């Protein structure tokens, strides 16, 4: 069974981390975001097509150097074609019923079970659904019996909890008849409303699910992955002077003091003094001086946080330096 991963968005909501790398390759705990999805695929998924626009070369080069036991083709979109246009762009490579995943979601979906549900449903498509407290940042889905009866992308907030599009689909090739070629088309806004009457089956699953494409969602995805036993302290890291509140993940070459956790990730070669850090991701090579406080933030490669600084609810790009005693709250720093 073929899987198309749509991973060509600009990742605007994670800038400036995504100014220097495509969203699919943004590190999440211990591996690039998209690799969490690839690592869960069963043998029945024998070919993966990754549709990329921004950052094509970086994604292509990554998969040239990392094998995964199945064929992975990175397909370049000359200009962004939207979520449906990206699929239309690979139409000639599709050989039958196929699966589509958004590239910025981590979850426990069972690929084979999703495909079986689609075969039972006999519709033109199947959409995996997840229940959230506030559907307004997602595609809201109404279900009656075994059919989806309504799909509204980014509905107004205030309607309470509901089912949303989990960004995991199975389609029959007939879906291509509803997508114009060569121009930008949205699956969620233009295609789903049109194909509902051809039969869209909802698929529910257990476990956990998170989008990872905004600061809040990225940190939520990190929490879920750490809880699912991705938290490891490398034997080549030194945490002997730290006070850790698990889960905390520390990669090789990092030296950590201070009070750290819960839900903190240090990439390789970070140097962290006697600071307070919770709910944060350091990509690699970051440093933090004594008495600094860091919460609910993503810190790019090589950031340097000065003594006594306070950083929260922020994304700091690669190489950003925060002076001693500065306060950074709700900001995006760096290019
Ligand atoms: N190839 C390609 N080309 N991929 C694209 C393009 C494009 O022009 N535009 C977006 N994508 C990819 C993104 O990289 C991402 O992996 C996926 O399509 C979804 O786009 P996002 O921009 O992240 O959308 P969203 O998070 O606001 O909403 C989507 O995901 C939600 C679940 O996380 C929608 O599908 C919602 O309905 C859904 O609930
Ligand atoms: Mg997204």
């Amino acid at each position: 069974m073929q899987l198309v991963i749509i991973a060509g968005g600009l990742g605007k909501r994670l800038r400036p981390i995504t100014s220097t790398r495509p969203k699919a390759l943004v590190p999440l705990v211990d591996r690039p975001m998209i690799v969490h999805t690839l690592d869960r695929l069963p043998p029945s998924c024998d070919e993966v097509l990754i549709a990329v626009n921004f950052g094509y070369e970086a994604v292509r080069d990554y998969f040239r150097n990392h094998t995964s036991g199945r064929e992975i083709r990175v397909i370049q979109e000359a200009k962004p074609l939207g979520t449906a246009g990206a699929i239309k762009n690979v139409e000639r490579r599709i050989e039958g019923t196929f699966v589509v995943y958004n590239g910025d979601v981590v979850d426990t979906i069972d690929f084979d079970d999703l495909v079986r549900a689609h075969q039972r449903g006999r519709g033109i498509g199947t959409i995996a659904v997840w229940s959230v407290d506030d559907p307004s940042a997602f595609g809201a889905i109404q279900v009656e019996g075994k059919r989806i009866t309504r799909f509204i992308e980014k509905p107004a907030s205030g309607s309470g909890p509901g089912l949303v599009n989990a960004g995991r689909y199975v389609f029959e090739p007939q879906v291509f008849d509803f997508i114009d070629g060569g121009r930008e088309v949205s699956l969620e806004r233009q295609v789903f409303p049109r194909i509902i009457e051809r039969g869209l089956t909802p698929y529910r699953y257990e476990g956990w699910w998170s989008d990872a494409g905004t600061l809040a969602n990225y940190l939520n995805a990190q929490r879920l992955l750490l809880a699912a036993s991705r938290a490891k302290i490398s034997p080549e890291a030194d945490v002997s002077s730290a006070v850790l509140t698990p889960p905390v993940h520390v990669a090789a070459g990092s030296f950590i003091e201070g009070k750290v956790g819960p839900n903190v990730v240090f990439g390789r070669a970070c140097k962290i003094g006697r600071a307070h850090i919770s709910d944060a991701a350091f990509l690699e090579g970051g440093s933090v001086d004594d008495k600094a406080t860091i919460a609910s933030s993503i810190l790019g490669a090589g950031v340097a946080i000065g003594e006594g600084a306070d950083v929260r609810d922020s994304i700091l790009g690669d190489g950003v330096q925060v002076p001693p005693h500065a306060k950074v709250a709700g900001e995006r720093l760096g290019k």
Side-chain angles (χ1 to χ4, degrees), residues 21 26-32 218 222 226 230 232-234 236-239 248-256 260 263-272 277 280-288 297-303:
R21 48 178 86 69
V26 169
L28 181 56
V29 188
D30 58 350
R31 57 199 75 187
Y218 177 97
Q222 175 172 289
L226 290 174
R230 276 284 157 77
K232 301 252 165 15
I233 310 287
S234 165
E236 292 159 52
D238 182 347
V239 297
V248 173
H249 178 88
V250 187
S254 286
F255 173 67
I256 316 290
V260 170
N263 302 309
V264 177
V265 169
F266 298 107
R268 287 174 165 268
C270 291
K271 191 172 179 311
I272 311 297
I277 305 180
F282 284 78
L283 300 197
E284 62 179 325
S287 70
V288 179
S297 297
I298 308 175
L299 302 104
V303 296

Side-chain angles (χ1 to χ4, degrees), residues 13 23 104 211 213:
R13 290 163 294 179
K23 181 161 67 169
D104 63 343
D211 177 275

Side-chain angles (χ1 to χ4, degrees), residues 6 8-9 13 23 51 77 82 102-104 139 153-154 165 188 211:
I6 40 181
R13 290 163 294 179
K23 181 161 67 169
E77 247 167 79
N102 284 356
D104 63 343
E153 185 65 13
K154 311 281 182 331
N165 167 21
E188 298 86 346
D211 177 275

Side-chain angles (χ1 to χ4, degrees), residues 2 16 29 52 79 142 173 191 202 238 243 263 284 294 305 322:
Q2 293 171 293
V29 188
V52 198
K79 57 175 183 167
Q142 267 176 29
V191 178
D238 182 347
V243 179
N263 302 309
E284 62 179 325
I294 299 179
I305 312 294
V322 174

Side-chain angles (χ1 to χ4, degrees), residues 29-233:
V29 188
D30 58 350
R31 57 199 75 187
M33 196 180 282
I34 198 171
V35 178
H36 289 284
T37 294
L38 294 170
D39 286 349
R40 292 190 57 87
L41 295 173
S44 59
C45 175
D46 49 9
E47 186 183 355
V48 179
L49 304 163
I50 304 179
V52 198
N53 164 248
F54 171 71
Y56 162 74
E57 287 83 5
V59 178
R60 177 201 62 197
D61 291 350
Y62 179 87
F63 287 105
R64 271 189 189 155
N65 299 323
H66 294 78
T67 50
S68 75
R70 63 171 58 76
E71 187 154 8
I72 295 185
R73 289 174 201 266
V74 182
I75 312 289
Q76 181 171 27
E77 247 167 79
K79 57 175 183 167
L81 293 171
T83 46
I87 302 170
K88 183 76 172 175
N89 193 44
V90 300
E91 178 177 6
R92 66 197 160 81
R93 299 171 189 268
I94 297 298
E95 291 156 6
T97 306
F98 64 106
V99 180
V100 174
Y101 280 4
N102 284 356
D104 63 343
V105 165
V106 291
D107 67 355
T108 49
I109 199 164
D110 180 330
F111 181 95
D112 289 329
D113 202 47
L114 170 68
V115 172
R116 282 193 295 270
H118 172 74
Q119 281 154 352
R120 283 196 302 273
R122 295 169 183 273
I124 191 171
T126 295
I127 304 180
V129 297
W130 194 260
S131 179
V132 299
D133 291 339
D134 176 9
S136 65
F138 302 105
I141 285 179
Q142 267 176 29
V143 172
E144 280 170 34
K146 292 182 177 168
R147 283 279 179 261
I148 290 172
T149 50
R150 216 159 166 220
F151 189 106
I152 306 172
E153 185 65 13
K154 311 281 182 331
S157 52
S159 58
L163 293 177
V164 299
N165 167 21
R168 272 77 175 91
Y169 321 108
V170 189
F171 293 118
E172 294 304 312
Q174 287 79 11
V175 74
F176 292 122
D177 300 342
F178 295 84
I179 309 171
D180 290 344
R183 67 177 186 89
E184 193 173 335
V185 185
S186 160
L187 258 184
E188 298 86 346
R189 294 180 193 277
Q190 291 157 278
V191 178
F192 290 147
R194 285 181 65 202
I195 63 174
I196 270 184
E197 61 203 39
R198 305 288 295 257
L200 281 178
T201 308
Y203 171 74
R204 296 172 197 249
Y205 57 111
E206 306 278 313
W208 46 264
W209 175 89
S210 184
D211 177 275
T214 66
L215 173 59
N217 290 344
Y218 177 97
L219 293 172
N220 186 50
Q222 175 172 289
R223 280 193 292 274
L224 293 168
L225 286 162
L226 290 174
S229 72
R230 276 284 157 77
K232 301 252 165 15
I233 310 287

